[in-house]
Amino acid sequence: MSCCEHDSNGHNGNGHHHDEHDIHHYDTNEVFPRQSLWHKEVFSREAWVAPRRGQKNVSQMHYARKGLITEEMKFVAEREQLTPEFVRSEIASGRMIIPANINHISLRPTGIGINTKCKINANIGNSAVTSNVAKELDKLKRAVKFGADTCMDLSTGGSINEIRQAIVDASPVPIGTVPIYQAVQKVAKPEDLTADLLFEVIEYQAKQGVDYVTVHCGVLLQHLPLTAKRITGIVSRGGSIHAAWMAVHHKQNPLYEQFDRLLEICKRYDLTLSLGDGLRPGCLADANDEAQFAELKTLGELTLRAWEQDVQVMIEGPGHVPFHLVAYNVERQIKECHGAPFYVLGPLVTDVAPGYDHITSAIGATAAGTAGAALLCYVTPKEHLGLPNEDDVHQGVIAYKIAAHASDVARNRPGARDWDDELSRARYAFDWKKQFALAMDPETAQAMHDETLPAEYFKSAEFCSMCGPKFCSMHLNRVVEQYNAENAPKETLTTTAK
Ligand code: SF4
């Protein structure tokens, strides 16, 4: 059985049961209007992709440039409240991507670009220290439940192929990976890596149904001396592996030299390239330096080469950036990379709050999303400190849903503010149950309310324990409302009479 075949009971080839009812996806699209598509019990792209199998290039960009509107484009158009033709033209131009490997059958397609709603990514995956398929699936479910639009499996520990397959099979959202993490597991030292091994791993993961891969093609031998004066050097895991390899062999990055070989794999599976920022700054002092921008320029050149072959591309960005420089980073990426979607990792706007980096980075992510970044990679409270557990994933996802939604409101995305207005009306009406239901994290909102006022009676009370019944400003407003009601009509009448 291939990785994508599911039997009629909802079991896949690996014996995992994927219960659609476990997955509830909160985002602006889901709440206003609630989308029936997402909640469809049985969902399979098999009928959509079957006619494409065996074709030389099955990428969404390839079809878009031929003038064809695929089912995936229609699906995205409905979720984004855009026309299918607009989605097609955005994909054809490279400004939007739909990461959708033809072997990821359970995928509900997601559009990522400057003209879609801002999306968030949650990283999951084991490390060499902890390894467990069920735990990773729990993290996936929790991340998707609270609104992750994509998930990256960053596993580096044992059972790596099994975990990835289970995640792809279970996931309704696009799955990304960093293939060099697996490649390096297969050798004793990073310098023992070979180009063939790396390409073999990339192709294997593409076959499994991975939708996008982070590949550090833009870290070049000539860039390495540019990092010499940094405080934290090269902090990207993939970037440092490539750098160490090039330093030992005095050779150019094989992913750069054999970029066309990579494009061939992408075309066969519609694997989207996420061109990694291997030289991203790891602290505020290193932001916007020569190394970062030299790599960005190379990524812009590679974007054009990928587009020549109709391969979908997004560009990864920093990292750690002072707040006042975040928008500049986005503007420069859009210019240097010709409008390819920008996928930012945070950025953290200060280095001094380990334990709270979901907050330091969500502040930067909001600035980035407002400036035009398309996908925000979450950061959990454990960043710099340890491997996130399920609760950390939850905290990170919510922090980033807030950042993405705040950006959508700031950018006037269709329907984005309606969600806020509806919750505000429920709040003012003391409709506590509706307020909880509309909250980004309903369980937490209700638990916090009920901590002090648990009785059912208080679900319609005109106050909460924050100010108490006497000082509840919204309750006192009823008096003001009454005054306005008594006075406003008279004034209107007087005016009319005059
Ligand atoms: S008591 Fe204060 S916090 Fe609570 S509902 Fe009234 S105004 Fe809002």
Side-chain angles (χ1 to χ4, degrees), residues 430 432 462-468 471-474:
F430 296 105
W432 292 97
E462 297 205 352
F463 65 93
C464 72
S465 63
M466 172 83 188
C467 327
F471 292 97
C472 177
S473 57
M474 291 200 294

Side-chain angles (χ1 to χ4, degrees), residues 114-151:
I114 193 161
N115 287 317
T116 66
K117 293 194 179 78
C118 194
K119 303 298 188 304
I120 73 156
N121 171 71
N123 292 329
I124 54 173
N126 69 3
S127 75
V129 194
T130 65
S131 173
N132 182 327
V133 177
K135 258 194 191 149
E136 295 313 315
L137 282 177
D138 285 345
K139 285 186 202 167
L140 171 77
K141 283 188 180 174
R142 179 93 77 116
V144 173
K145 175 179 174 183
F146 287 104
D149 299 290
T150 78
C151 281

Side-chain angles (χ1 to χ4, degrees), residues 26 81 101 115 117 160 175 207 213 215 349 413 418 466:
Y26 285 96
Q81 302 174 43
N101 186 315
N115 287 317
K117 293 194 179 78
I160 198 165
I175 295 298
K207 245 185 219 162
V213 282
V215 273
V349 293
R413 298 290 187 212
D418 297 349
M466 172 83 188

Side-chain angles (χ1 to χ4, degrees), residues 284 319-323 326 345-368 377-384 399-400 403:
L284 298 193
H320 291 239
V321 178
F323 185 82
V326 174
L345 316 174
L348 284 73
V349 293
T350 173
D351 300 331
V352 296
Y356 297 90
D357 279 336
H358 59 316
I359 297 173
T360 61
S361 64
I363 292 168
T366 309
C377 182
Y378 89 164
V379 170
T380 75
K382 283 271 175 64
E383 186 73 13
H384 301 113
Y400 273 68

Side-chain angles (χ1 to χ4, degrees), residues 25-259:
H25 189 265
Y26 285 96
D27 69 9
T28 314
N29 296 317
E30 294 310 304
V31 179
F32 289 103
R34 287 192 185 274
Q35 294 276 325
S36 54
L37 284 171
W38 192 268
H39 299 289
K40 251 183 162 180
E41 267 186 51
V42 180
F43 188 88
S44 165
R45 286 168 68 224
E46 185 52 41
W48 300 357
V49 299
R52 301 176 201 156
R53 291 192 197 283
Q55 291 178 10
K56 269 183 101 177
N57 190 342
V58 295
S59 84
Q60 294 292 320
M61 186 180 223
H62 186 61
Y63 298 122
R65 287 181 161 182
K66 283 178 149 179
L68 297 171
I69 294 173
T70 61
E71 297 298 331
E72 287 83 355
M73 294 174 206
K74 287 184 203 159
F75 190 102
V76 166
E78 188 166 339
R79 291 187 68 197
E80 298 289 336
Q81 302 174 43
L82 299 169
T83 66
E85 171 50 27
F86 181 72
V87 171
R88 186 207 63 75
S89 68
E90 286 292 285
I91 291 168
S93 76
R95 271 192 304 273
M96 189 191 295
I97 54 168
I98 301 180
N101 186 315
I102 56 163
N103 287 341
H104 187 180
I105 297 303
S106 59
L107 174 77
R108 274 97 158 142
T110 299
I112 298 168
I114 193 161
N115 287 317
T116 66
K117 293 194 179 78
C118 194
K119 303 298 188 304
I120 73 156
N121 171 71
N123 292 329
I124 54 173
N126 69 3
S127 75
V129 194
T130 65
S131 173
N132 182 327
V133 177
K135 258 194 191 149
E136 295 313 315
L137 282 177
D138 285 345
K139 285 186 202 167
L140 171 77
K141 283 188 180 174
R142 179 93 77 116
V144 173
K145 175 179 174 183
F146 287 104
D149 299 290
T150 78
C151 281
M152 289 193 82
D153 171 21
L154 303 186
S155 292
T156 54
S159 316
I160 198 165
N161 287 332
E162 191 195 349
I163 287 178
R164 187 182 315 109
Q165 193 67 74
I167 288 173
V168 169
D169 288 344
S171 180
V173 301
I175 295 298
T177 59
V178 188
I180 199 162
Y181 293 174
Q182 182 170 20
V184 92
Q185 295 285 320
K186 294 175 181 277
V187 291
K189 302 186 289 295
E191 52 265 38
D192 296 340
L193 269 175
T194 63
D196 286 346
L197 176 60
L198 192 48
F199 282 108
E200 200 181 289
V201 168
I202 294 170
E203 173 121 31
Y204 181 86
Q205 297 192 1
K207 245 185 219 162
Q208 283 191 308
V210 165
D211 300 288
Y212 66 93
V213 282
T214 294
V215 273
H216 302 87
C217 309
V219 186
L220 304 186
L221 188 58
Q222 58 269 37
H223 295 158
L224 303 188
L226 303 177
T227 63
K229 287 191 191 134
R230 286 181 160 188
I231 290 184
T232 56
I234 300 172
V235 295
S236 150
R237 270 192 266 183
S240 61
I241 294 168
H242 280 285
W245 188 93
M246 289 188 282
V248 170
H249 296 285
H250 301 279
K251 280 189 185 163
Q252 192 52 283
N253 181 345
L255 287 180
Y256 177 79
E257 285 211 315
Q258 300 184 45
F259 191 62

